[in-house]
Amino acid sequence: MLLSVLLQAAAAGVGISKFGAALGAAIAVIGAGLGIGRIGSSAMEAIARQPEASGDIRMNMIIAAALIEGVALLAVVVCLLVFFL
């Protein structure tokens, strides 16, 4: 299926770099969503095990989610620059 999409993009005159940029942005967003979801579920499990440490766990969860989101935003910006330039 992916090969047919690549062949259609090449035949239509659309550069493979644009297709790669769009695919890269999609992978970055999906990866960030999965990573933040995993952080959230692990934090909820940790808070359920040790409710007295919920403040520290929540703070670490927010910092990790912000770092993941920053990397994903950078990846999307780079992919959009490749796509439009």
Side-chain angles (χ1 to χ4, degrees):
M1 166 133 171
L2 181 62
L3 182 60
S4 65
V5 172
L6 283 172
L7 290 174
Q8 287 175 358
V14 176
I16 297 296
S17 65
K18 291 189 186 255
F19 180 75
L23 188 63
I27 290 172
V29 169
I30 290 170
L34 290 174
I36 291 174
R38 187 170 175 138
I39 288 172
S41 84
S42 296
M44 292 301 113
E45 289 175 8
I47 290 173
R49 288 188 189 129
Q50 293 182 333
E52 66 275 2
S54 65
D56 293 334
I57 294 169
R58 187 177 302 119
M59 180 183 61
N60 289 330
M61 178 187 72
I62 290 172
I63 290 171
L67 290 172
I68 289 174
E69 189 143 350
V71 169
L73 181 63
L74 178 67
V76 169
V77 167
V78 168
C79 290
L80 288 175
L81 284 173
V82 169
F83 188 77
F84 289 116
L85 295 179

